Amino acid sequence: QVQLVESGGGVVQPGGSLRLSCAASGFTFSSCGMHWVRQAPGKGLEWVTFIQSTGGNDHSADSVKGRFTISRDISKNTLYLQMNSLRAEDTAVYYCVKDKHGDFSLDYWGQGTLVTVSS
Amino acid sequence: QSALTQPRSVSGSPGQSVTISCTGTSSDVGGYKYISWYQHHPGKAPKLMIYGVSNRPSGVPDRFSGSKSGNTASLTISGLQAEDEADYYCYSYAGSYTWVFGGGTKLTVL
């Protein structure tokens, strides 16, 4: 079955960097677009960034553009999120999510990893 | 990239029906058929309930239905059950490989 397992969350100081990983299994990772979605404490879901199955350019929300970079390693079936210049408002649970091909919905979600930006 | 507008909360008694609206613009909800809805129980991963405006994934009860008119999409839950109590989010494609969520609606089953 499809599994998405995030790792790499933790506490980081403002201005710092962190890299999240998402190990994917149970589907053809190289054929699927992938997203990161986050939820700040007490807030709603926020789409963060997307990478197409072919890789190439990433696409990001204005709130993280220029600071966050999504990438993928097909040989390791792993999705990454490199987060730089972190701010307090980036504190959230980050979910790795599979894009459902053909209709742009989100059909499988990981359990999430918590990132806390605090001094 | 403004969040889509959803009511903060809705409620209903077991067996009743509730409808959650999701209002956007012609650049997102009104411009595409790529509208989906998610059920989120706190502490768990969100679950896809509706995709492509009105389609249900396998395993989602037919009590859940979706529709769209103009810039507003809607999720209707009929025959409310206690386990339906959760947060619900709409999600729309917004062009150029960007997406936007609604602010979320807390459903309370009385």
Side-chain angles (χ1 to χ4, degrees), chain B residues 62-104:
Chain B
D62 59 7
R63 303 184 294 103
F64 291 82
S65 62
S67 62
K68 189 184 89 163
S69 177
N71 295 339
T72 298
S74 299
L75 173 71
T76 298
I77 309 171
S78 58
L80 269 178
Q81 299 181 4
E83 59 262 36
D84 298 334
E85 185 162 295
D87 297 321
Y88 290 84
Y89 295 88
C90 59
Y91 176 73
S92 174
Y93 184 61
S96 301
Y97 291 108
T98 66
W99 288 263
V100 60
F101 278 100

mmCIF file of all heavy atoms in Angstrom, chain B residues 62-104:
data_model
loop_
_atom_site.group_PDB
_atom_site.id
_atom_site.type_symbol
_atom_site.label_atom_id
_atom_site.label_comp_id
_atom_site.label_asym_id
_atom_site.label_seq_id
_atom_site.Cartn_x
_atom_site.Cartn_y
_atom_site.Cartn_z
ATOM 1 N N ASP B 62 -21.504 7.357 0.131
ATOM 2 C CA ASP B 62 -22.234 8.203 -0.799
ATOM 3 C C ASP B 62 -23.044 9.287 -0.080
ATOM 4 O O ASP B 62 -23.767 10.060 -0.722
ATOM 5 C CB ASP B 62 -23.127 7.377 -1.724
ATOM 6 C CG ASP B 62 -24.157 6.551 -0.987
ATOM 7 O OD1 ASP B 62 -24.281 6.712 0.246
ATOM 8 O OD2 ASP B 62 -24.832 5.740 -1.635
ATOM 9 N N ARG B 63 -22.923 9.347 1.243
ATOM 10 C CA ARG B 63 -23.518 10.460 1.996
ATOM 11 C C ARG B 63 -22.787 11.764 1.714
ATOM 12 O O ARG B 63 -23.299 12.841 1.996
ATOM 13 C CB ARG B 63 -23.442 10.171 3.496
ATOM 14 C CG ARG B 63 -24.103 8.887 3.924
ATOM 15 C CD ARG B 63 -24.092 8.704 5.439
ATOM 16 N NE ARG B 63 -22.758 8.537 6.021
ATOM 17 C CZ ARG B 63 -22.104 9.479 6.667
ATOM 18 N NH1 ARG B 63 -22.641 10.680 6.829
ATOM 19 N NH2 ARG B 63 -20.913 9.221 7.182
ATOM 20 N N PHE B 64 -21.588 11.647 1.176
ATOM 21 C CA PHE B 64 -20.780 12.818 0.855
ATOM 22 C C PHE B 64 -20.926 13.135 -0.637
ATOM 23 O O PHE B 64 -20.741 12.260 -1.483
ATOM 24 C CB PHE B 64 -19.302 12.582 1.172
ATOM 25 C CG PHE B 64 -19.012 12.481 2.651
ATOM 26 C CD1 PHE B 64 -19.209 11.288 3.335
ATOM 27 C CD2 PHE B 64 -18.542 13.573 3.355
ATOM 28 C CE1 PHE B 64 -18.953 11.193 4.691
ATOM 29 C CE2 PHE B 64 -18.279 13.497 4.714
ATOM 30 C CZ PHE B 64 -18.483 12.312 5.381
ATOM 31 N N SER B 65 -21.257 14.400 -0.930
ATOM 32 C CA SER B 65 -21.405 14.804 -2.322
ATOM 33 C C SER B 65 -20.867 16.215 -2.515
ATOM 34 O O SER B 65 -20.842 17.019 -1.581
ATOM 35 C CB SER B 65 -22.863 14.715 -2.769
ATOM 36 O OG SER B 65 -23.667 15.594 -2.006
ATOM 37 N N GLY B 66 -20.436 16.494 -3.739
ATOM 38 C CA GLY B 66 -19.871 17.798 -4.042
ATOM 39 C C GLY B 66 -20.503 18.401 -5.279
ATOM 40 O O GLY B 66 -21.006 17.694 -6.147
ATOM 41 N N SER B 67 -20.463 19.732 -5.349
ATOM 42 C CA SER B 67 -21.004 20.434 -6.496
ATOM 43 C C SER B 67 -20.292 21.768 -6.625
ATOM 44 O O SER B 67 -19.510 22.170 -5.758
ATOM 45 C CB SER B 67 -22.512 20.652 -6.351
ATOM 46 O OG SER B 67 -22.787 21.469 -5.217
ATOM 47 N N LYS B 68 -20.558 22.450 -7.733
ATOM 48 C CA LYS B 68 -19.962 23.764 -7.959
ATOM 49 C C LYS B 68 -20.907 24.612 -8.799
ATOM 50 O O LYS B 68 -21.544 24.102 -9.731
ATOM 51 C CB LYS B 68 -18.621 23.631 -8.680
ATOM 52 C CG LYS B 68 -17.835 24.945 -8.770
ATOM 53 C CD LYS B 68 -16.561 24.787 -9.588
ATOM 54 C CE LYS B 68 -16.807 25.045 -11.049
ATOM 55 N NZ LYS B 68 -15.550 25.299 -11.804
ATOM 56 N N SER B 69 -20.976 25.887 -8.453
ATOM 57 C CA SER B 69 -21.736 26.845 -9.241
ATOM 58 C C SER B 69 -20.959 28.148 -9.263
ATOM 59 O O SER B 69 -20.740 28.764 -8.206
ATOM 60 C CB SER B 69 -23.136 27.071 -8.659
ATOM 61 O OG SER B 69 -23.837 28.047 -9.406
ATOM 62 N N GLY B 70 -20.526 28.532 -10.445
ATOM 63 C CA GLY B 70 -19.726 29.752 -10.542
ATOM 64 C C GLY B 70 -18.456 29.652 -9.722
ATOM 65 O O GLY B 70 -17.674 28.705 -9.856
ATOM 66 N N ASN B 71 -18.249 30.635 -8.851
ATOM 67 C CA ASN B 71 -17.035 30.675 -8.028
ATOM 68 C C ASN B 71 -17.183 29.990 -6.677
ATOM 69 O O ASN B 71 -16.317 30.129 -5.811
ATOM 70 C CB ASN B 71 -16.615 32.133 -7.805
ATOM 71 C CG ASN B 71 -16.207 32.837 -9.087
ATOM 72 O OD1 ASN B 71 -15.855 32.195 -10.076
ATOM 73 N ND2 ASN B 71 -16.294 34.161 -9.090
ATOM 74 N N THR B 72 -18.287 29.271 -6.484
ATOM 75 C CA THR B 72 -18.545 28.619 -5.195
ATOM 76 C C THR B 72 -18.729 27.117 -5.365
ATOM 77 O O THR B 72 -19.552 26.662 -6.150
ATOM 78 C CB THR B 72 -19.780 29.222 -4.518
ATOM 79 O OG1 THR B 72 -19.553 30.610 -4.252
ATOM 80 C CG2 THR B 72 -20.054 28.519 -3.191
ATOM 81 N N ALA B 73 -17.933 26.376 -4.594
ATOM 82 C CA ALA B 73 -18.083 24.928 -4.522
ATOM 83 C C ALA B 73 -18.761 24.581 -3.198
ATOM 84 O O ALA B 73 -18.716 25.364 -2.242
ATOM 85 C CB ALA B 73 -16.719 24.246 -4.603
ATOM 86 N N SER B 74 -19.376 23.414 -3.158
ATOM 87 C CA SER B 74 -20.086 23.006 -1.946
ATOM 88 C C SER B 74 -19.879 21.533 -1.669
ATOM 89 O O SER B 74 -19.804 20.721 -2.592
ATOM 90 C CB SER B 74 -21.593 23.276 -2.073
ATOM 91 O OG SER B 74 -21.853 24.646 -2.249
ATOM 92 N N LEU B 75 -19.808 21.209 -0.388
ATOM 93 C CA LEU B 75 -19.763 19.836 0.087
ATOM 94 C C LEU B 75 -21.011 19.606 0.922
ATOM 95 O O LEU B 75 -21.274 20.373 1.842
ATOM 96 C CB LEU B 75 -18.521 19.594 0.943
ATOM 97 C CG LEU B 75 -18.445 18.235 1.644
ATOM 98 C CD1 LEU B 75 -18.185 17.130 0.626
ATOM 99 C CD2 LEU B 75 -17.355 18.233 2.728
ATOM 100 N N THR B 76 -21.773 18.586 0.577
ATOM 101 C CA THR B 76 -22.958 18.239 1.347
ATOM 102 C C THR B 76 -22.766 16.882 1.987
ATOM 103 O O THR B 76 -22.344 15.932 1.323
ATOM 104 C CB THR B 76 -24.216 18.226 0.455
ATOM 105 O OG1 THR B 76 -24.430 19.541 -0.072
ATOM 106 C CG2 THR B 76 -25.436 17.809 1.258
ATOM 107 N N ILE B 77 -23.074 16.821 3.272
ATOM 108 C CA ILE B 77 -23.012 15.565 4.009
ATOM 109 C C ILE B 77 -24.422 15.279 4.483
ATOM 110 O O ILE B 77 -25.006 16.058 5.239
ATOM 111 C CB ILE B 77 -22.062 15.654 5.214
ATOM 112 C CG1 ILE B 77 -20.696 16.215 4.787
ATOM 113 C CG2 ILE B 77 -21.890 14.278 5.863
ATOM 114 C CD1 ILE B 77 -19.765 16.544 5.947
ATOM 115 N N SER B 78 -24.980 14.187 3.993
ATOM 116 C CA SER B 78 -26.324 13.817 4.390
ATOM 117 C C SER B 78 -26.274 12.684 5.404
ATOM 118 O O SER B 78 -25.253 11.990 5.520
ATOM 119 C CB SER B 78 -27.147 13.402 3.166
ATOM 120 O OG SER B 78 -26.516 12.315 2.507
ATOM 121 N N GLY B 79 -27.353 12.493 6.141
ATOM 122 C CA GLY B 79 -27.394 11.430 7.136
ATOM 123 C C GLY B 79 -26.225 11.518 8.100
ATOM 124 O O GLY B 79 -25.509 10.535 8.313
ATOM 125 N N LEU B 80 -26.048 12.693 8.703
ATOM 126 C CA LEU B 80 -24.898 12.943 9.573
ATOM 127 C C LEU B 80 -24.705 11.836 10.604
ATOM 128 O O LEU B 80 -25.673 11.345 11.210
ATOM 129 C CB LEU B 80 -25.076 14.268 10.302
ATOM 130 C CG LEU B 80 -24.523 15.530 9.659
ATOM 131 C CD1 LEU B 80 -24.856 16.733 10.524
ATOM 132 C CD2 LEU B 80 -23.038 15.426 9.395
ATOM 133 N N GLN B 81 -23.436 11.481 10.804
ATOM 134 C CA GLN B 81 -23.064 10.500 11.822
ATOM 135 C C GLN B 81 -22.015 11.121 12.739
ATOM 136 O O GLN B 81 -21.302 12.046 12.333
ATOM 137 C CB GLN B 81 -22.542 9.229 11.169
ATOM 138 C CG GLN B 81 -23.566 8.537 10.269
ATOM 139 C CD GLN B 81 -23.043 7.252 9.650
ATOM 140 O OE1 GLN B 81 -21.934 6.805 9.932
ATOM 141 N NE2 GLN B 81 -23.870 6.636 8.809
ATOM 142 N N ALA B 82 -21.916 10.591 13.915
ATOM 143 C CA ALA B 82 -20.988 11.140 14.911
ATOM 144 C C ALA B 82 -19.558 11.191 14.375
ATOM 145 O O ALA B 82 -18.822 12.150 14.629
ATOM 146 C CB ALA B 82 -21.045 10.322 16.197
ATOM 147 N N GLU B 83 -19.165 10.181 13.615
ATOM 148 C CA GLU B 83 -17.787 10.110 13.111
ATOM 149 C C GLU B 83 -17.495 11.143 12.019
ATOM 150 O O GLU B 83 -16.349 11.303 11.603
ATOM 151 C CB GLU B 83 -17.451 8.710 12.595
ATOM 152 C CG GLU B 83 -18.339 8.217 11.493
ATOM 153 C CD GLU B 83 -19.438 7.305 12.016
ATOM 154 O OE1 GLU B 83 -19.939 7.558 13.135
ATOM 155 O OE2 GLU B 83 -19.808 6.369 11.293
ATOM 156 N N ASP B 84 -18.550 11.845 11.556
ATOM 157 C CA ASP B 84 -18.315 12.888 10.554
ATOM 158 C C ASP B 84 -17.763 14.160 11.185
ATOM 159 O O ASP B 84 -17.314 15.070 10.480
ATOM 160 C CB ASP B 84 -19.613 13.235 9.821
ATOM 161 C CG ASP B 84 -20.190 12.061 9.053
ATOM 162 O OD1 ASP B 84 -19.398 11.161 8.665
ATOM 163 O OD2 ASP B 84 -21.414 12.028 8.843
ATOM 164 N N GLU B 85 -17.828 14.248 12.509
ATOM 165 C CA GLU B 85 -17.322 15.444 13.192
ATOM 166 C C GLU B 85 -15.822 15.572 12.949
ATOM 167 O O GLU B 85 -15.037 14.696 13.313
ATOM 168 C CB GLU B 85 -17.625 15.369 14.693
ATOM 169 C CG GLU B 85 -17.239 16.633 15.439
ATOM 170 C CD GLU B 85 -17.916 16.737 16.793
ATOM 171 O OE1 GLU B 85 -19.157 16.852 16.841
ATOM 172 O OE2 GLU B 85 -17.189 16.718 17.809
ATOM 173 N N ALA B 86 -15.437 16.661 12.310
ATOM 174 C CA ALA B 86 -14.052 16.872 11.891
ATOM 175 C C ALA B 86 -13.944 18.256 11.268
ATOM 176 O O ALA B 86 -14.936 18.985 11.173
ATOM 177 C CB ALA B 86 -13.637 15.814 10.866
ATOM 178 N N ASP B 87 -12.741 18.608 10.863
ATOM 179 C CA ASP B 87 -12.525 19.811 10.062
ATOM 180 C C ASP B 87 -12.568 19.423 8.588
ATOM 181 O O ASP B 87 -12.060 18.360 8.205
ATOM 182 C CB ASP B 87 -11.174 20.443 10.394
ATOM 183 C CG ASP B 87 -11.090 20.909 11.833
ATOM 184 O OD1 ASP B 87 -12.091 21.435 12.339
ATOM 185 O OD2 ASP B 87 -10.019 20.745 12.450
ATOM 186 N N TYR B 88 -13.155 20.290 7.775
ATOM 187 C CA TYR B 88 -13.259 20.035 6.340
ATOM 188 C C TYR B 88 -12.633 21.191 5.564
ATOM 189 O O TYR B 88 -12.868 22.361 5.881
ATOM 190 C CB TYR B 88 -14.720 19.851 5.925
ATOM 191 C CG TYR B 88 -15.302 18.561 6.448
ATOM 192 C CD1 TYR B 88 -15.819 18.472 7.736
ATOM 193 C CD2 TYR B 88 -15.285 17.405 5.664
ATOM 194 C CE1 TYR B 88 -16.314 17.285 8.234
ATOM 195 C CE2 TYR B 88 -15.790 16.210 6.149
ATOM 196 C CZ TYR B 88 -16.298 16.152 7.431
ATOM 197 O OH TYR B 88 -16.787 14.965 7.919
ATOM 198 N N TYR B 89 -11.863 20.839 4.548
ATOM 199 C CA TYR B 89 -11.169 21.835 3.738
ATOM 200 C C TYR B 89 -11.463 21.632 2.260
ATOM 201 O O TYR B 89 -11.403 20.495 1.766
ATOM 202 C CB TYR B 89 -9.654 21.733 3.932
ATOM 203 C CG TYR B 89 -9.167 22.069 5.314
ATOM 204 C CD1 TYR B 89 -9.084 21.105 6.307
ATOM 205 C CD2 TYR B 89 -8.780 23.369 5.625
ATOM 206 C CE1 TYR B 89 -8.653 21.420 7.582
ATOM 207 C CE2 TYR B 89 -8.325 23.696 6.895
ATOM 208 C CZ TYR B 89 -8.270 22.711 7.867
ATOM 209 O OH TYR B 89 -7.822 23.035 9.128
ATOM 210 N N CYS B 90 -11.739 22.720 1.560
ATOM 211 C CA CYS B 90 -11.785 22.663 0.109
ATOM 212 C C CYS B 90 -10.405 23.035 -0.424
ATOM 213 O O CYS B 90 -9.576 23.611 0.291
ATOM 214 C CB CYS B 90 -12.849 23.586 -0.458
ATOM 215 S SG CYS B 90 -12.667 25.337 -0.043
ATOM 216 N N TYR B 91 -10.181 22.673 -1.689
ATOM 217 C CA TYR B 91 -8.850 22.830 -2.286
ATOM 218 C C TYR B 91 -9.063 23.001 -3.775
ATOM 219 O O TYR B 91 -9.794 22.225 -4.403
ATOM 220 C CB TYR B 91 -8.053 21.566 -1.981
ATOM 221 C CG TYR B 91 -6.677 21.425 -2.573
ATOM 222 C CD1 TYR B 91 -5.604 22.158 -2.106
ATOM 223 C CD2 TYR B 91 -6.446 20.465 -3.572
ATOM 224 C CE1 TYR B 91 -4.322 21.959 -2.622
ATOM 225 C CE2 TYR B 91 -5.173 20.270 -4.088
ATOM 226 C CZ TYR B 91 -4.109 21.009 -3.606
ATOM 227 O OH TYR B 91 -2.846 20.806 -4.112
ATOM 228 N N SER B 92 -8.449 24.021 -4.338
ATOM 229 C CA SER B 92 -8.662 24.299 -5.753
ATOM 230 C C SER B 92 -7.356 24.576 -6.475
ATOM 231 O O SER B 92 -6.445 25.212 -5.931
ATOM 232 C CB SER B 92 -9.575 25.517 -5.916
ATOM 233 O OG SER B 92 -9.692 25.904 -7.280
ATOM 234 N N TYR B 93 -7.283 24.109 -7.712
ATOM 235 C CA TYR B 93 -6.192 24.497 -8.595
ATOM 236 C C TYR B 93 -6.362 25.982 -8.913
ATOM 237 O O TYR B 93 -7.495 26.469 -9.048
ATOM 238 C CB TYR B 93 -6.241 23.675 -9.878
ATOM 239 C CG TYR B 93 -5.102 23.944 -10.824
ATOM 240 C CD1 TYR B 93 -3.789 23.709 -10.446
ATOM 241 C CD2 TYR B 93 -5.346 24.414 -12.109
ATOM 242 C CE1 TYR B 93 -2.739 23.933 -11.316
ATOM 243 C CE2 TYR B 93 -4.303 24.639 -12.994
ATOM 244 C CZ TYR B 93 -3.003 24.400 -12.595
ATOM 245 O OH TYR B 93 -1.961 24.626 -13.462
ATOM 246 N N ALA B 94 -5.211 26.700 -8.983
ATOM 247 C CA ALA B 94 -5.268 28.147 -9.215
ATOM 248 C C ALA B 94 -4.413 28.557 -10.412
ATOM 249 O O ALA B 94 -4.093 29.732 -10.564
ATOM 250 C CB ALA B 94 -4.829 28.881 -7.951
ATOM 251 N N GLY B 95 -4.036 27.571 -11.230
ATOM 252 C CA GLY B 95 -3.277 27.892 -12.430
ATOM 253 C C GLY B 95 -1.776 27.882 -12.197
ATOM 254 O O GLY B 95 -1.312 28.079 -11.075
ATOM 255 N N SER B 96 -1.021 27.640 -13.255
ATOM 256 C CA SER B 96 0.450 27.666 -13.224
ATOM 257 C C SER B 96 1.012 26.777 -12.136
ATOM 258 O O SER B 96 2.004 27.130 -11.480
ATOM 259 C CB SER B 96 0.954 29.115 -13.046
ATOM 260 O OG SER B 96 0.508 29.936 -14.095
ATOM 261 N N TYR B 97 0.401 25.623 -11.942
ATOM 262 C CA TYR B 97 0.851 24.655 -10.945
ATOM 263 C C TYR B 97 0.920 25.259 -9.542
ATOM 264 O O TYR B 97 1.899 25.066 -8.809
ATOM 265 C CB TYR B 97 2.203 24.040 -11.336
ATOM 266 C CG TYR B 97 2.109 23.142 -12.534
ATOM 267 C CD1 TYR B 97 2.635 23.539 -13.760
ATOM 268 C CD2 TYR B 97 1.470 21.909 -12.453
ATOM 269 C CE1 TYR B 97 2.532 22.720 -14.872
ATOM 270 C CE2 TYR B 97 1.357 21.087 -13.559
ATOM 271 C CZ TYR B 97 1.897 21.501 -14.770
ATOM 272 O OH TYR B 97 1.784 20.688 -15.867
ATOM 273 N N THR B 98 -0.106 26.014 -9.207
ATOM 274 C CA THR B 98 -0.286 26.477 -7.836
ATOM 275 C C THR B 98 -1.696 26.096 -7.377
ATOM 276 O O THR B 98 -2.598 25.899 -8.205
ATOM 277 C CB THR B 98 -0.105 28.000 -7.687
ATOM 278 O OG1 THR B 98 -1.151 28.677 -8.392
ATOM 279 C CG2 THR B 98 1.249 28.457 -8.228
ATOM 280 N N TRP B 99 -1.860 25.974 -6.088
ATOM 281 C CA TRP B 99 -3.130 25.541 -5.511
ATOM 282 C C TRP B 99 -3.432 26.385 -4.285
ATOM 283 O O TRP B 99 -2.539 27.054 -3.723
ATOM 284 C CB TRP B 99 -3.053 24.070 -5.092
ATOM 285 C CG TRP B 99 -3.046 23.103 -6.235
ATOM 286 C CD1 TRP B 99 -4.106 22.414 -6.746
ATOM 287 C CD2 TRP B 99 -1.896 22.696 -7.010
ATOM 288 N NE1 TRP B 99 -3.695 21.611 -7.783
ATOM 289 C CE2 TRP B 99 -2.348 21.770 -7.980
ATOM 290 C CE3 TRP B 99 -0.541 23.026 -7.000
ATOM 291 C CZ2 TRP B 99 -1.498 21.159 -8.906
ATOM 292 C CZ3 TRP B 99 0.308 22.435 -7.924
ATOM 293 C CH2 TRP B 99 -0.165 21.515 -8.859
ATOM 294 N N VAL B 100 -4.689 26.338 -3.842
ATOM 295 C CA VAL B 100 -5.074 27.090 -2.658
ATOM 296 C C VAL B 100 -6.115 26.295 -1.876
ATOM 297 O O VAL B 100 -7.007 25.657 -2.457
ATOM 298 C CB VAL B 100 -5.614 28.490 -3.036
ATOM 299 C CG1 VAL B 100 -6.829 28.405 -3.930
ATOM 300 C CG2 VAL B 100 -5.881 29.329 -1.806
ATOM 301 N N PHE B 101 -6.000 26.314 -0.552
ATOM 302 C CA PHE B 101 -6.965 25.686 0.337
ATOM 303 C C PHE B 101 -7.973 26.719 0.831
ATOM 304 O O PHE B 101 -7.688 27.930 0.858
ATOM 305 C CB PHE B 101 -6.266 25.118 1.583
ATOM 306 C CG PHE B 101 -5.641 23.771 1.388
ATOM 307 C CD1 PHE B 101 -4.283 23.643 1.157
ATOM 308 C CD2 PHE B 101 -6.407 22.614 1.471
ATOM 309 C CE1 PHE B 101 -3.695 22.397 0.995
ATOM 310 C CE2 PHE B 101 -5.833 21.364 1.314
ATOM 311 C CZ PHE B 101 -4.475 21.257 1.070
ATOM 312 N N GLY B 102 -9.110 26.223 1.254
ATOM 313 C CA GLY B 102 -10.032 27.044 2.011
ATOM 314 C C GLY B 102 -9.535 27.170 3.445
ATOM 315 O O GLY B 102 -8.633 26.433 3.861
ATOM 316 N N GLY B 103 -10.127 28.086 4.194
ATOM 317 C CA GLY B 103 -9.708 28.304 5.564
ATOM 318 C C GLY B 103 -10.102 27.207 6.528
ATOM 319 O O GLY B 103 -9.612 27.151 7.661
ATOM 320 N N GLY B 104 -10.988 26.305 6.076
ATOM 321 C CA GLY B 104 -11.405 25.195 6.920
ATOM 322 C C GLY B 104 -12.720 25.450 7.636
ATOM 323 O O GLY B 104 -13.014 26.590 8.022
#
